[in-house]
Amino acid sequence: MRFVFADALDLVDPGFDFVADRNARDRTRHSGDQYPHEFMDEAPYDGILVSRAIVGDAFRTGKYSESQMMRFRREGARRFLRYPEERFPDSIVMGDCGAFSYAAMAEPPYKPEDTLSFYGDGGFTHGCSPDHIIFDLDEGAGRDRDAVPEATRRRFDVTLQNATEFLAGARRLGHRFTPMGVVQGWSAPSMARAAADLARMGYGSLAVGGTVPLKIEQIRRVLAAIREAVPVSTGVQLHVLGFGKIEHLADLERYGVASFDTTSPLVRAFKDARKNYWARDDAGNLSFYTALRIPQAIENNHLKHKARKGSVNQEAILRLEATALASVRRFAAGDGGLDEALDGVMAYWDTLNWDEDSSPSRQADALRRQRGIYARTLEERPWERCGCRVCREGGVEALIFRSSNRNKRRGMHNLYVFHRHLREFRAEAVA
């Protein structure tokens, strides 16, 4: 089972200065920055997924700039991503259309023919047929086709029709390209029917879509139905698109899933309320720590709003910020105590989160809870037990929730931990 990282130009400046909080003076965007597979000692994934919606085109704006978009199409995915097959053998570069980006549209903006051109220009090894996402999965057997809205039936039919045309045109990309038929549906049985139809068309690889908002119990039901319709013995491989429930790898293994993609380890570094820094405990399970939130005082919107209102003094905020950073760094260096570090961090945290109409008792409870959470992070010193480049070079800076360069480095550390966790899981599964 392979882990494919869904990239969205997630790079860091290798010369970033943690103390000065600034990029290297000679930094050049993108060309001077580094992807996770460049910054880390080894690639923390088995492949990269690039979405058309992220790249963009002449008609729809993506995350890439116009010059980046043109260079991507001209150079191809591997060269643009600096992910050469020679250095990363057996790696895959997968493409999809990014169905969530056009979910509100009546029809997908992408057609099979132009999608194949995108994959061909990019030199992709795998590519998904253009699909149209269906939300609100039914429980159990779900509704019959006649009972679902016309728009839902249309999305189902368009996805299958696109897959038919896509497979016919994929032959021109040669034997090194693997076309993937996308499975969509409003229920587990309807997704199983779609999978069976795609297999009959001749697809040897299917991508299960629409799983991002689903609970793990729903995903299990979908995979069980698909595998009943298209058993492992047929040789048809399954890929799960956007599988963020990565604590449940055993469920993917149970249903013979060959690969999945996600950004979860990276984005949880700065979007999760608690699980920001990942580790493996002595039993080999994933464990999580909360990063210390010490935002930049002059850039934090909440603090700027308070300063404009006159409820806080900006100079006082800057002093609290500096004290928080200094006390954490002293603790990490062994020159300061735990309580001193927590006092510094919590004084800043209190100012950041305090509001004039806050209940004093609720505020005190929140402070007590947060202090306990941060105490575990500092007491257990997880950065000292990790040998990845992020922790070797940054130390406790990896645990400070602050700027993009710090937060994405922590995300890269999480990718490293998760990929090692997956390798152990694969080894145990084989044994």
Side-chain angles (χ1 to χ4, degrees):
M1 183 163 51
R2 297 204 278 185
F3 163 42
V4 180
F5 175 60
D7 181 70
L9 291 180
D10 295 304
L11 304 97
V12 296
D13 172 11
F16 181 79
D17 186 329
F18 292 110
V19 176
D21 259 322
R22 65 183 177 212
N23 290 306
R25 295 188 184 280
D26 59 349
R27 178 209 179 196
T28 53
R29 284 187 175 276
H30 190 263
S31 62
D33 294 339
Q34 293 184 339
Y35 288 97
H37 54 269
E38 294 180 294
F39 185 78
M40 304 302 282
D41 300 319
E42 58 186 40
Y45 33 71
D46 305 303
I48 299 177
L49 180 141
V50 180
S51 170
R52 284 192 74 180
I54 293 291
V55 176
D57 54 32
F59 306 103
R60 291 178 62 80
T61 302
K63 191 169 182 178
Y64 284 35
S65 67
E66 184 177 357
S67 62
Q68 287 174 327
M69 175 193 71
M70 294 174 65
R71 188 153 62 85
F72 182 91
R73 297 292 290 257
R74 184 175 65 251
E75 296 179 348
R78 285 199 182 273
R79 187 175 175 188
F80 182 86
L81 297 169
R82 304 191 287 272
Y83 192 58
E85 193 171 10
E86 301 77 37
R87 184 181 168 196
F88 305 102
D90 199 36
S91 61
I92 64 178
V93 179
M94 182 184 298
D96 75 357
C97 289
F100 276 95
S101 71
Y102 53 83
M105 299 177 67
E107 298 282 339
Y110 306 124
K111 304 300 180 187
E113 187 63 27
D114 57 69
T115 299
L116 285 166
S117 296
F118 173 74
Y119 294 153
D121 291 345
F124 287 82
T125 63
H126 296 67
C128 297
S129 57
D131 60 319
H132 212 12
I133 195 164
I134 297 174
F135 294 104
D136 299 325
L137 187 78
D138 290 352
E139 297 297 323
R143 293 163 290 176
D144 292 333
R145 178 183 169 90
D146 293 341
V148 300
E150 166 74 28
T152 300
R153 296 198 299 270
R154 175 64 182 159
R155 286 169 179 258
F156 184 85
D157 294 341
V158 163
T159 297
L160 287 177
Q161 180 58 39
N162 281 347
T164 302
E165 297 174 20
F166 182 82
L167 185 62
R171 297 187 182 93
R172 76 167 188 263
L173 297 187
H175 69 279
R176 297 197 66 189
F177 176 75
T178 300
M180 305 175 75
V182 179
V183 176
Q184 292 285 357
W186 62 87
S187 64
S190 67
M191 294 182 82
R193 287 196 297 275
D197 286 348
L198 291 166
R200 279 192 291 271
M201 289 179 199
Y203 278 99
S205 187
L206 307 181
V208 183
T211 68
V212 172
L214 301 184
K215 297 177 180 177
I216 188 61
E217 294 80 9
Q218 295 173 300
I219 295 174
R220 289 177 186 137
R221 192 162 63 246
V222 165
L223 292 176
I226 289 175
R227 274 311 185 194
E228 186 175 350
V230 186
V232 175
S233 59
T234 63
V236 174
Q237 295 195 328
L238 293 185
H239 175 91
V240 180
L241 290 163
F243 183 74
K245 313 292 190 299
I246 53 183
E247 294 90 340
H248 299 279
L249 294 176
D251 289 297
L252 299 188
E253 181 71 22
R254 182 178 304 121
Y255 297 109
V257 172
S259 57
F260 64 94
D261 69 86
T262 186
T263 59
S264 185
L266 186 133
V267 300
R268 285 198 202 176
F270 47 88
K271 288 191 175 180
D272 197 286
R274 292 284 183 264
K275 300 177 179 180
N276 308 128
Y277 179 95
W278 295 20
R280 274 168 56 89
D281 62 24
D282 293 338
N285 300 311
L286 287 174
S287 59
F288 309 96
Y289 292 87
T290 302
L292 310 170
R293 290 179 182 257
I294 311 176
Q296 292 163 302
I298 59 173
E299 294 185 16
N300 183 268
N301 289 330
H302 191 50
L303 287 175
K304 285 194 292 186
H305 176 68
K306 285 187 169 187
R308 283 195 298 268
K309 281 173 48 180
S311 59
V312 295
N313 179 280
Q314 201 157 33
E315 290 183 2
I317 293 173
L318 288 168
R319 285 196 297 272
L320 288 170
E321 175 194 14
T323 299
L325 288 168
S327 63
V328 167
R329 288 167 178 160
R330 279 197 301 272
F331 172 79
D335 296 329
L338 176 63
D339 284 335
E340 178 197 348
L342 289 171
D343 288 345
V345 172
M346 294 313 301
Y348 190 43
W349 188 92
D350 188 30
T351 301
L352 178 65
N353 291 277
W354 173 83
D355 209 344
E356 292 175 340
D357 57 359
S358 297
S359 161
S361 60
R362 291 183 62 185
Q363 186 72 9
D365 287 343
L367 275 166
R368 191 161 44 250
R369 284 195 305 272
Q370 197 66 32
R371 188 181 181 97
I373 291 167
Y374 285 166
R376 174 177 175 262
T377 297
L378 289 171
E379 268 187 311
E380 298 190 12
R381 307 173 77 95
W383 63 90
E384 293 184 348
R385 302 195 303 271
C386 180
C388 80
R389 181 180 174 184
V390 171
C391 296
R392 288 198 317 267
E393 293 184 358
V396 75
E397 304 293 339
L399 272 295
I400 296 177
F401 195 122
R402 191 164 167 83
S403 62
S404 176
N405 258 287
R406 270 192 184 82
N407 295 340
K408 287 195 175 180
R409 271 174 167 78
R410 187 167 56 254
M412 292 181 182
H413 156 87
N414 292 347
L415 288 171
Y416 162 83
V417 171
F418 176 68
H419 195 228
R420 286 172 64 89
H421 179 72
L422 177 61
R423 285 210 304 263
E424 292 289 331
F425 177 84
R426 288 190 296 222
E428 290 172 5
V430 170

